[in-house]
Amino acid sequence: MADQALLKVEDLWSGYYKDAPVLKGLHIEVQAGEIVVLIGSNGSGKTTTINTLSGLLPLMKGNIFFRGKRLNDLKPKRIVEMGMCVCPEGRLLFPEMTVLENLELGAYLKKDQQSVNAGLERIYNLFPRLKERQRQLAGSLSGGEQQMLAIGRSLMAEPTLLLLDEPSLGLAPLMVELLFETIIKINRQGTTILLVEQNARMALEISNRAYVIESGRITLMGDSKILAHDKEVEKVYLGVS
């Protein structure tokens, strides 16, 4: 079964400087249909993992397999074409463009307007607020609405695997709850999700499996419900003394 994983990461070494790797032998698997969460403290290598998987950062050593195909030397556009898309930390929207224009940018690989329209309808069903604000500039939206737009833009590419990097960062508690409910809905619609998240408690609640990363290495892994009661996880990530 391991070889049939949708995403398989083997002995991954990566970083921003050749003599100072951030990731040091990472092993991760994501099966089709799962929500898998990667939790860890600031500087542990979570975003470096996302950037390497999506082709934004070259790997130094190891292998990345997606749908059975090796991704090591592929450009980000080709990785998106294969069905892996990232919703980045910080959202990275185009603030002077409208909500609709930002969403349409996410569909840049689509060739026909009918397919684009179907994608927009899906996003507006997931995030009705975006439909209400489709002519509004992205920069004028609230933080929560901007995060909805960032996720919506990523979904316009119809990914098989969605990489979500810190989606709840800086959001109010009620918006965080709404966001996590929507992540569950996206998964139930057929999108596999790899979630990088500092809100470990909620991430463990909605995910199937979890990995804990420390200093670029996986130190714990397993069923999310079990890890949520692990003494070390409770102490370091859940604030349980």
Side-chain angles (χ1 to χ4, degrees):
M1 283 298 292
D3 291 332
Q4 297 174 7
L6 180 64
L7 175 71
K8 186 172 184 178
V9 178
E10 298 176 330
D11 192 29
L12 181 63
W13 292 70
S14 180
Y16 303 90
Y17 305 100
K18 286 187 177 180
D19 57 348
V22 177
L23 305 181
K24 304 162 187 173
L26 212 68
H27 290 267
I28 291 177
E29 288 189 11
V30 180
Q31 303 291 336
E34 286 189 308
I35 299 177
V36 174
V37 63
L38 182 65
I39 60 176
S41 57
N42 285 334
S44 60
K46 301 189 303 297
T47 293
T48 302
T49 301
I50 295 294
N51 288 342
T52 307
L53 294 178
S54 60
L56 296 173
L57 189 64
L59 54 83
M60 299 171 180
K61 180 185 171 187
N63 289 298
I64 302 170
F65 293 98
F66 178 60
R67 302 171 90 168
K69 297 181 179 178
R70 195 165 172 263
L71 300 189
N72 291 29
D73 302 314
L74 297 186
K75 300 294 184 185
K77 180 183 176 183
R78 179 65 185 125
I79 292 172
V80 173
E81 289 173 342
M82 290 178 66
M84 187 194 303
C85 194
V86 62
C87 180
E89 180 183 1
R91 301 154 197 158
L92 302 184
L93 300 171
F94 293 91
E96 299 304 319
M97 298 174 69
T98 65
V99 167
L100 177 58
E101 288 167 339
N102 271 273
L103 289 173
E104 287 175 335
L105 279 175
Y108 71 97
L109 292 175
K110 294 184 176 180
K111 306 300 182 187
D112 63 291
Q113 191 59 43
Q114 187 174 353
S115 180
V116 174
N117 290 342
L120 288 171
E121 185 176 351
R122 180 194 178 194
I123 302 311
Y124 291 152
N125 283 332
L126 281 168
F127 303 110
R129 211 172 301 184
L130 294 183
K131 184 171 186 179
E132 297 168 9
R133 290 160 171 70
Q134 59 183 311
R135 303 295 175 188
Q136 199 168 316
L137 294 182
S140 69
L141 300 178
S142 70
E145 290 165 349
Q146 288 188 15
Q147 188 60 64
M148 292 176 191
L149 179 54
I151 294 174
R153 183 181 60 185
S154 301
L155 289 174
M156 286 295 290
E158 297 185 19
T160 305
L161 174 62
L162 178 62
L163 311 177
L164 284 173
D165 193 1
E166 302 285 8
S168 76
L169 195 64
L171 301 184
L174 280 176
M175 182 56 69
V176 172
E177 284 194 27
L178 177 62
L179 181 67
F180 276 89
E181 287 172 7
T182 307
I183 290 171
I184 293 171
K185 192 180 296 184
I186 292 167
N187 177 248
R188 287 176 178 167
Q189 289 178 353
T191 304
T192 303
I193 293 171
L194 176 59
L195 172 64
V196 166
E197 181 56 57
Q198 283 193 326
N199 188 332
R201 187 179 301 279
M202 291 197 70
L204 290 170
E205 280 181 14
I206 71 163
S207 58
N208 304 101
R209 293 187 304 109
Y211 291 88
V212 177
I213 183 171
E214 293 178 16
S215 301
R217 292 183 171 91
I218 300 299
T219 56
L220 282 171
M221 68 184 81
D223 182 279
S224 295
K225 305 300 181 285
I226 294 173
L227 279 185
H229 298 289
D230 180 273
K231 295 299 182 186
E232 191 65 23
V233 172
E234 287 184 335
K235 180 180 175 183
V236 178
Y237 302 106
L238 304 181
V240 177
S241 58

